[in-house]
Every structure is written in C-alpha cells, then in structure tokens.
Amino acid sequence: MDKFVALTASGIAYGAVLAVVALGFLVLYKATGVVNFAHGDLVTLGAYLAVWTTTSLGLPTVPGYLAAIALMGLVGVAIERVAYAPLRSRPPMVVVIATLAAAIVIRGIIAVWQGSEPKTLAGPVGNRVVHIAGAAIAEQRLLITGVAAVAVLALLFVFQRTPYGRQVRALAADPEMARLTGVRTRLVAMGAFALSAMLAALAGILIAPLGAVDLNFGFGLMVTAFAAAVLGGFGSLGGVVLGALVIGLIQQLFGGYVLPDYAATFPAIVLFLVIAVRPEGLLNLTRSRL
Amino acid sequence: MRTYRTLLAGSVALMAVAACGSGGAGGSSSHAISGPIKLVGLWEVKGESPAAIDDYQNGAALAIEQITAAGGIAGKPVTLDRVPLSPSDPQKATSQFLQGVDKKPTMILGIPAATSVLAAKTQIDRAGIPLLATSSTTTPIRFGGPGGSKWLWLLQSYDGYKDQAAVKYATETLKASKIGLTGTSESYGTTNIADLTTALQAKSLKPFAVSKYAPNATDVTPTVLAMKGADAVITFAYPVPLAVQLRQFTQNGLNIPTIGSSSTNIAVQYKMVSGDPLKNVYSVVSCDPTQGSQRQLAKDFGTAYQQKYGTVPTDLAADAYDAVWVAKAAIEKAGSTDPAAINKAMAEVTVTDKVVCSDGYHADGAHVLSHDVSVDKFATAGTTQEIQKYTFPVQDAVK
Amino acid sequence: MLSIDGLDVRYGTTHAVRGICLEVADGEAVALLGPNGAGKTSTLRAISRLVPSTGSVVFDGQDLAKVPAENVARLGLIHVPEGRHVFGDLTVHENLQIGTTARRGRRSEFGFDEVYDLFPALVPLRGRLGFALSGGEQQMVAIGRALVAAPRLLLIDEPSLGLAPIVADAVASALVEVRSRTALLVIEQNVHLAVRVCQRAAVLSGGVVVLEAPAAQLHDRGELLASYLGQSRTGTGA
C-alpha cells in the first residue's frame, strides 16, 4: 500500500510538471501554429535564471523565482522578435527549423554564461518529507502538484474567460478571420511567446530542486511533454493535462511494478502508439489546431 | 569528474576505423637530448566548448612549473603547448590530433575521452609519436584491441577494476551479501551493472535487486523502494539522478550503505547532495587528490594546486599532472628525444616520483599504467576520506 | 466613404481584377454582381488587405495601401467573408464577443442585445459551439459578429449562398435593417436579394466593371444583366 501511495504521489507530481511544460508548448502552437522545439531549452534557461537570481543576485527563494519567471517573459518576446517575426510568412517547416536553431543558441548561451557544470536550485521547502498512508513523500512534490494545479487553472481561466484567450482561440481556429475581426496577430503572438516562456520557466523551477540543472535538463522533459500533448489530442488544454497525468502515472506505476528497466521509454512508446492508432493528430497539424 | 566528462562524450556511435599498418616515425635519427623539449596537451580550456574545463591544463601547467623550477627534463627546458580537443566531439578528434602532431612535440598527452582515442587510432599509428592518454581505459583502446596502438599508452586503471573494487569493498569490508545494483539506463549504467553482476558471481552472489533509471530522472521512487531490504547498494549513475537517489533514500528513511562511482564526487562537489543523505556513502575512484587521500604526494599536490588556482583539484587535474611526470621519466630513461626510444622507455619505466594517482605507474602488456583503485568515504560536510586502496593485477595485450 | 481607383489583383499569372473603379458613399448600400470568377471576392479581399493589390483604396480619406488587415477592421471597415468563417471552437456568444475587438471606442449601433433582437434564432444558441450551427445560423453569427464591431462600412460576401430560401429571406430582412444604420458593399449572386437590400449595383465580369446602375433599373435591364451573369433567369421576378 505504501509503495502504491508513494508511486502514485510521485507520478502525479511528475505529471503536473509535464502538464505545465505541455501547456506552454500548446499555448504557442495555438496562437502561432509554431511547434517550438526550443521549449525544452527554455525550461532549462528558466531554471538557470532562477539559480542566478537566488544565488548571484541573492534574492530570497520565492521572489527570485518570480523574477526569473518575469525575465523569461522578456526572453519569450525577444525570441518572437528575433527568431519568429522575420519568418512569419515562411513555410511552417522553416519556422520549425528556426526553433531548433534557437534551441542550440539558447543552450550555447547558457553554457558560456553558466558553464557546463550542473547547478543546484534551492527549493522553498528543502528536503522535508510528509508521511501519507505510510509512504514518505517529499514536500517539494506536494508543492509541485499544488503550484502546477493553480497554474493550469489560471491558464484555463485565461483561455476560456478573457479577451486574450478568445483571441488566441480565434487565431488557432481561423487566422485570417481572426485578423478580419481586428485581432492583432503580432501582439497575440508576442504575448503567446512570453506566456509560453514563462510556463517553461515555471516548470523548470518546480522540478529543478528535486535534482540538478544542467544543459540537457529541459530537453528530456520536453520530449515527454510532447508525448503527453499528443496523447491529449494536441488540442484541448484539458486533454493535454489529462495526457500529462496519464504519462506521469504510467511511468511511475508501470515502472515501479512491471518493467522497471523500461520506465524511461514509456512516453516514447505511448507516442508511437498514439500516432499509430490516430495519426490525424500529428499528420494534419494545421487543420487540427484546435 | 572524470566520469562525467567521459559520459558527456558517451554513446557516440563510431565507425570502425580500419587499421592501417603503423608507419613509424620514418627515418628520424637517434640523438641524445638537445634543445627544449616540447610536450603537447590535447585538451580544452574553459570557453572552447560548452563542456570545456580548465582542470587538465591547470594540472599539467603546475607539473611543468615544478619541473622547470627543478631544472627541467634531463637538464633541458621544457615547454607545454596545447591543442583544444573536445571530449564530446570524437568526430573532430582526428584533425585535432594531427594539429598536435604538426607542432612536432616530443610526446603528446591528453585526449579526455576514449571514443576520441578510438577515432584517432589510424593517425596515432601513423604519427609515430608516443601518446599518453588520460581518457578512461576502455577495452577497445588497450594494446591489441581495435583502437590500440604501439604508440598509445593509457594512464588510468582499467574501467572494470572499479566494479571489482566496489564488490570487494561491499563484501569484504561491509560484509554485505544482499547487494542491490542501480544505475542509469544507458551504456554507462548498463555496462557497469553487467560487470558488477559478473563480479558478484565470482563471489557466488546474485544481485539482491537491479533497478535502472533515466539519466535525466528527477524521481527514482521505484528504484528506492526496490532496494528496501538490501544491505548494500552499488550505483553507477550520472551525477544528477545519483544525487536524487541518495536524497530519496534518506527521505524514505533508508540508510543503506551506497557505493557510487566518481559521479558521487561530482554530485557532492557541485552541491547536488549534502548533509544527511551522505551518511553511509562511498565511492570507488581511480584517484582522490584531496586532503583526504592516504598518499602524502596527493596531499602535497592538493596543497600546491589550491595555492596556485584557489580550488580543490579534481582527479582530472591530477591525471594531467601525473601524465607530465610520467613523460619526464620516460624521456629521461630514453636519454633521447627519438620517439622510438621514448616509446621503448614507456614500456619499461616505473614512475613513483611526484605522481598522485598511483603508487607506481608501470605499463603492463595492454599498455595500461595504473592498476590502483581507491575507496572514498564521504562525510556529511561533503569532504572525502580515502579509506581503502586496492591494487589489481596487471594484464596482457588484448588477444 | 470608400473610393477604389484602378484596383488590380494578380495571383501569379492570373489577372483577377483589372483596374476597377468603385465608390461607396456614406450610408449607401451597393451590390457587387457578376458571374463566378468575375473578381468580386478578390475585390473585397483586396479592400480588406488580405491579398496584395495595386491601385488605390481610400477609406474615409485614408489610403489603405500600407494598413494591415487587422487595422483595416479597426478603422470600421468590417468584412464578412464568403463561407461565414464562424470560429468553430468558440460559442455563438464568444464569436460575438470577439467581434468587439475591432470596435476601438466607436459608438456601436449594435450591441449584443441588438444582435439577438435582429436574429432571435440565435438567442437559444448562445452557448453552442460554432461548428455545431447550421449554415443560416452561421451566417447570422457572422453578420452579428461584424455588427458589434461598430462598422462604418460592411463588406459582405455572398450572404445567401447555400441557404434555404426562407433563411436567405431572413438574412435579407436583417440586412435591410442594417442598411439604415451603416454603409454596405454586398456581393450577391441572388439579384433579387441584392436589389432588395441595395440602392445601387455594379456588375463585374472578367475583372472589370461592365455596368453600374441604380438597383431599381436592374429590373429594366434584366436581359442585359442576364447576359453578363451568364444566367438564363436573373431571378428579378420573372
């Protein structure tokens, strides 16, 4: 029983972070049609910025985190200006390749700035543990789950209830018609880049205190989150959250009970299965934008 | 540290390098030592690639400084030149090695990754200049193996000896019989787990449990729960998930002795893990150049290094330092700058003067110079104490 | 209000609109008639800056040549495109809400309530998603979405296309109501509907204006019109 509780708790916490990563991915995709393969490196950069604000700048943990997230908003805008705006009228494949280039540039900048040695990010709750039904669960995992849940709900609210959210959804459904209703696509895109980068930073900051931050930190997370997004239909926000939780739980429970050596490959297997069973989700990206 | 750099280079698929006949140095006439002696280090300094570090250059420069102060090599001045060679880019190793050759050195030192050594094999054969590699000593690059060369010498102890040392320490000193194995689910973790399993079988034991996790894992709960009931755990993992594992053991109230690789030293050095999770943690390393070492020479090196660079040396710095001293001994034994004579001396010389990571470097039939493995014990403050040293047998050339 | 002079639209080697000139005065309703491929839709898309064009398009004294499409809408030149383009994943009400994006502080003749008054059929459908609507309902949403933007000139492309006659009639009645409050430029195949809504008509064929006349006179020129429109019957009430 305690084993089941421990595995479930860690699966939910992992799924919650995946959801935040996947939503950041999706927000940008909906607003601009861009599949941003630099998203994982934005996760990495967000965590490094938090390390910088809390150690080099000496800010307390939570204000340091918030400062890092705010900075990432600016980074998102900068990426929009430099890597996306000039390519706006180019074919999607060109833009996707540009995001790969952006990923490499971001990684290079981090390496020059922070070096290649892994960094640690202090968590607000340290190494404390709570016991639930006999299972030891790190408080950081509960914190992750709580903060991620708040972020997801806030994002759902923005999408469903605010003019900005409506504009993003309109843009996702029919970009030309959105322009005809006066939606400023460039501003919305810029906002989406900022929001997406901030969500990436949040995910990085949530999970970094559990391990350490290095240059490859966010990439693996992005790949798994991509699987979650595909599992969730690569469209509805709710579906993506569900997909993320399913992947998190499968990885922990299946990994804990059935095939421990292969836990890391489950997201990729899920990705293949989803593509095989319902390929329309991936092969027809432009039409399934919402 | 060494492990981590090597890991960065890891899993790069290499094409088999077709063996070309070794051309030799081609007509270089044998002369007694004259003029300055030039050594070339094949390693990077910070800024040359994302993974670049200063440790190798710092260690070698310190040795050159001490040698110069003591009158040089065989009374002649010695210079250290350098060509950047990235541990994570074996595709470039050949051209970088040739750049080193173009500097016409007496000896070449360095190359931080075994995959790079393997990649440069053909050119190493052709260049006809003795190369003392500081990479890890994998099977293919030993003399007689597909990447081996009569000109290639390997400073570090055999990789598999660390596995044997871990099993030896767990069974003989810790008296453990239920030994769990954990590691990362890529080549580093899996090959070591296989070797550890073999080493356990040699002592008529089976692993208590085996559990692997992804190199980027931030949650290893399944592994931690699988180890419940073991009386020792041996772990060959990347530093980041290793730190997670150590912390999660403590969080789950488990205090099982854990023997890690040098990843443990990296994880501690970069403060990924500290305090309570370090109770009962050991590591098997080829070298501990800190004040916790049992060797006075290692302590001396650590002091000098700390004074010059302001940081505690890593084993990588100690390797480069030792490589320079081994080169000095070989050149002096050859009494010549003739490459063939130096290469012959490399096979014969025994080096105990000044060196940090071995009680005595002496090449065996596989061209491997060290056979020593140390066991470190960690204090919760993060310092290490070398508590055990093993010297393993010499081996013959790979057949 | 809207003044088009020498408008040319090319798609690759296709010359869709060949130097047309057209005026829409304040409060006027103008129909743009013509057979398929005459260049009607291209003209509207050029006015809204959805396709590149040469020649001048001046709206309320401002040259639109360098104005992006979203800002054209924000000036009050609102385009209801062919095929309605209701946002399928937004509800009826959200579709109306997004229409206000282009309002920019102009006083609107139509708020949400006025739209629901104009199209009572939409009232029970407020929360329904766009893709679940019938063609007629979508057309009502598309027009309503344009009306809440406080249009000063509405461009409407084929409002009756594909609608059952009774639904087309309801749409036409609404447009008659709209006409009294805002200027209109309507593309319509159904000459009967066009004449009912508009005071004036321009007939396009082969990318040029071939006939311009007050709507009332179209009845008298039925035969000529039929030849241009390529129809045996013009639907003018034979």
Side-chain angles (χ1 to χ4, degrees), chain B residues 12 73 87 102 106 134 170 188 194 197 250 338 369 372 387:
Chain B
V12 177
I73 295 178
D102 287 346
T106 312
T134 54
Y188 178 64
T197 307
T250 306
D338 173 42
L369 275 79
D372 298 340
I387 54 168

Side-chain angles (χ1 to χ4, degrees), chain A residues 36-184:
Chain A
N36 179 18
F37 285 111
H39 197 67
D41 292 277
L42 291 175
V43 172
T44 311
L45 181 59
Y48 270 102
L49 278 173
V51 170
W52 179 67
T53 56
T54 53
T55 56
S56 299
L57 296 189
L59 293 176
T61 315
V62 174
Y65 288 0
L66 295 176
I69 291 172
L71 283 172
M72 283 299 289
L74 298 179
V75 169
V77 172
I79 292 175
E80 194 273 342
R81 290 285 87 198
V82 174
Y84 173 66
L87 303 175
R88 203 183 298 273
S89 53
R90 308 298 288 277
M93 188 51 76
V94 173
V95 182
V96 168
I97 290 166
T99 69
L100 280 172
I104 293 165
V105 170
I106 292 169
R107 210 176 287 202
I109 289 173
I110 299 173
V112 171
W113 175 46
Q114 289 283 318
S116 57
E117 294 91 357
K119 304 274 178 183
T120 48
L121 180 62
V125 295
N127 276 338
R128 290 203 303 267
V129 171
V130 289
H131 290 270
I132 297 171
I137 294 162
E139 282 186 16
Q140 179 71 19
R141 282 181 222 289
L142 299 180
L143 188 73
I144 287 174
T145 311
V147 172
V150 170
V152 167
L153 290 175
L155 195 69
L156 288 175
F157 177 82
V158 166
F159 259 67
Q160 297 303 328
R161 294 276 179 265
T162 67
Y164 179 76
R166 274 195 295 276
Q167 292 184 13
V168 171
R169 285 188 290 146
L171 208 47
D174 191 337
E176 186 172 282
M177 189 60 227
R179 297 183 72 196
L180 288 180
T181 57
V183 172
R184 291 189 152 146

